[in-house]
Amino acid sequence: MQISLSFGESQKFELELKDDKVVALCDGAGSTLSSVGEAVDAALTNPPQFPALADATVPGDLIAFAIGRHIPAVDEIIAAILQVVARPEMADRRMAIVLPHDAAKDLEAAVQQMIGERNDVTVERHDPDDRNKLAFIGATKENRPIMINRSLSDADMVVPVGLARLDSSLDYFGPYEAVFPTFTDRETMQRLSAPAFVEQPVLRKRRAGEATEVGHILGVLFGLQVEANGPESISAIRAGAIDQLSTQIQAELAKTWRYQPSKRAALAVVAISGGHYQQTWANFARALAVASAAADDNAAIMICCELSTHPSATMLQLAEHDDLDDQRRRIRRERTTDAVAALQLATTLDRNKIYLLSNLPEAIVDELNMAPVANLEEARKVCEYYDSCTFIAHGQLAEVAVEGEEISSDIDWDQYAL
């Protein structure tokens, strides 16, 4: 069988293996949306079972678009939003485009340029450390204070624009993720990035439920959900009441991104596709989690990527001690941005050998107790060595569940309704 697996910005891993060695080739991304602009236009002017944006608001209203993280073609989406809100039927309304705190600087500059001299639209990068730009809007059922970006709290209508992912994804907050914790304070972000929330399904559901609760308290009724066809392309943009959209979107995502090989393999090869902004330790962790579900115990995993970011101290401490159980206990107490990736790496190393094809120096890969793969020829030799292989494209978006194995992904969003 001929295998072709894209990774990084433009790399391709190609090889030929005997058919009986290939357990599965998981690369079934659907069609790409023909026009982002037309899809956004339809979502805002003719959404299903919801009034058009012009009918849902009145002159004098402030409409805040909360732009989520990791959205493909996000500049095209924002440009289309600005075109819709510039129409006569939207006259006398004010708009705010609120970007995440870690949005790329070139995206912020591009949006500023799109706005130009318009005085009815502002753009803002969220600052989780500036208390003057945060507002207290209430408390959760667990009596935790809710701090939200002030532009969102002051808005008459908040429209989250979020990336839809499978509920079982490693660090997914659910359909209200584009509001919370994306636009909360630093302390809350750090609390909800604790590895325990990712590692334990019960806590993961609680965290997603908290995001839903905050969305309801803020009064969010309507939103846009972006379905990715890949790390930098879109298959659909759906609009409507977020709670009602969730079930439908999960079913659509499962068709595209959930794979069920017939068995686990001796080697799971996972690609992280996309440019620089996709080559992150967070996506490395997602790819590892996906590969772990496809590989046998004591089998091997190979990640193909263009990761070049030097690992932080939390990651590098894995090299200082051989006791992985002790390392996991330590990491669970961390609140650093890559603690989840460190915990996923420690957990996977306890079960699988990990090969890494990346742009990192071999010495660093060695320090992290992984086996560096120098080039594509070495990657081919690794595949030829093992008796069975499963190949997974777009590992940061995919999900694998071997036939007969269940995924704990069902979240009862209704239990968090006010």
Side-chain angles (χ1 to χ4, degrees):
M1 178 182 289
Q2 185 68 34
I3 304 295
S4 180
L5 206 62
S6 298
F7 69 96
E9 191 161 11
S10 58
Q11 294 286 331
K12 265 195 178 174
F13 176 37
E14 298 180 322
L15 76 159
E16 190 167 345
L17 290 175
K18 294 181 179 179
D19 288 358
D20 60 1
K21 286 190 66 170
V22 180
V23 174
L25 174 57
C26 305
D27 187 6
S31 58
T32 300
L33 192 64
S34 58
S35 172
V36 171
E38 290 179 5
V40 172
D41 185 294
L44 294 178
T45 61
N46 190 29
Q49 299 179 336
F50 205 90
L53 187 62
D55 297 329
T57 58
V58 296
D61 276 355
L62 170 62
I63 306 169
F65 291 88
I67 309 298
R69 304 171 69 224
H70 312 307
I71 299 174
V74 65
D75 53 340
E76 295 181 50
I77 292 173
I78 295 173
I81 290 171
L82 292 174
Q83 288 181 357
V84 171
V85 300
R87 292 177 181 167
E89 60 267 28
M90 295 296 294
D92 298 324
R93 293 160 177 83
R94 295 169 295 131
M95 317 293 165
I97 304 294
V98 188
L99 303 175
H101 74 283
D102 56 354
K105 290 182 179 179
D106 55 356
L107 173 62
E108 185 179 13
V111 177
Q112 290 280 15
Q113 188 172 8
M114 293 175 198
I115 294 171
E117 300 299 321
R118 292 177 60 176
N119 56 17
D120 60 331
V121 184
T122 60
V123 61
E124 172 190 344
R125 175 194 290 270
H126 176 60
D127 186 347
D129 301 309
D130 188 345
R131 287 283 170 173
N132 293 323
K133 294 184 178 180
L134 293 164
F136 172 75
I137 64 169
T140 66
K141 292 178 181 178
E142 296 181 349
N143 205 31
R144 295 185 182 278
I146 304 170
M147 304 298 294
I148 286 291
N149 176 280
R150 188 171 295 277
S151 294
L152 301 186
S153 71
D154 290 347
D156 297 286
M157 183 176 185
V158 175
V159 181
V161 182
L163 174 64
R165 289 194 280 148
L166 288 163
D167 284 340
S168 54
S169 296
L170 183 65
D171 56 352
Y172 186 50
F173 283 89
Y176 290 89
E177 185 178 60
V179 171
F180 183 88
T182 302
F183 294 105
T184 189
D185 59 291
R186 180 79 65 181
E187 182 180 351
T188 303
M189 286 182 178
Q190 291 176 339
R191 174 175 66 83
L192 294 175
S193 67
F197 278 97
V198 173
E199 185 182 38
Q200 300 178 35
V202 172
L203 293 180
R204 187 186 304 179
K205 289 183 179 183
R206 185 184 301 171
R207 184 180 71 165
E210 186 175 342
T212 301
E213 187 181 355
V214 171
H216 290 165
I217 292 173
L218 190 59
V220 177
L221 298 174
F222 172 83
L224 304 187
Q225 291 278 288
V226 179
E227 294 180 27
N229 182 48
E232 296 174 355
S233 58
I234 296 171
S235 60
I237 298 175
R238 303 187 187 277
I242 296 181
D243 292 333
Q244 296 174 11
L245 275 176
S246 182
T247 301
Q248 176 191 359
I249 288 175
Q250 287 300 310
E252 292 298 323
L253 291 175
K255 292 177 186 177
T256 303
W257 296 113
R258 185 170 290 158
Y259 304 105
Q260 288 191 294
S262 59
K263 63 179 182 179
R264 289 177 177 262
L267 173 69
V269 182
V270 185
I272 301 175
S273 51
H276 171 71
Y277 295 114
Q278 295 289 333
Q279 305 302 311
T280 64
W281 285 106
N283 279 343
F284 169 84
R286 294 180 186 120
L288 271 186
V290 170
S292 296
D296 274 325
D297 287 345
N298 302 315
I301 290 168
M302 181 162 66
I303 307 291
C304 298
C305 64
E306 291 186 319
L307 181 63
S308 60
T309 305
H310 196 285
S312 72
T314 303
M315 296 287 291
L316 290 174
Q317 284 182 42
L318 289 173
E320 297 175 4
H321 305 281
D322 294 329
D323 188 340
L324 288 174
D325 285 335
D326 181 64
Q327 287 297 303
R328 283 196 291 270
R329 285 191 292 272
R330 175 189 60 79
I331 294 168
R332 288 187 185 103
R333 297 190 294 269
E334 293 280 353
R335 295 294 183 269
T336 57
T337 55
D338 62 353
V340 168
L343 181 61
Q344 183 65 52
L345 177 57
T347 300
T348 308
L349 282 170
D350 200 31
R351 180 175 171 266
N352 302 108
K353 180 173 183 177
I354 302 174
Y355 297 92
L356 180 61
L357 173 61
S358 70
N359 290 341
L360 290 168
E362 289 189 10
I364 289 178
V365 178
D366 276 327
E367 280 188 60
L368 295 174
N369 296 312
M370 293 185 284
V373 178
N375 50 50
L376 291 173
E377 184 56 37
E378 281 194 16
R380 294 186 188 98
K381 290 178 180 178
V382 171
C383 294
E384 290 165 357
Y385 175 80
Y386 288 92
D387 294 334
S388 60
C389 303
T390 286
F391 297 88
I392 306 166
H394 310 305
Q396 67 269 45
L397 295 169
E399 179 186 86
V400 169
V402 171
E403 290 180 6
E405 298 184 14
E406 294 184 358
I407 299 173
S408 178
S409 61
D410 294 332
I411 297 177
D412 181 8
W413 302 110
D414 291 339
Q415 69 177 301
Y416 301 107
L418 294 180

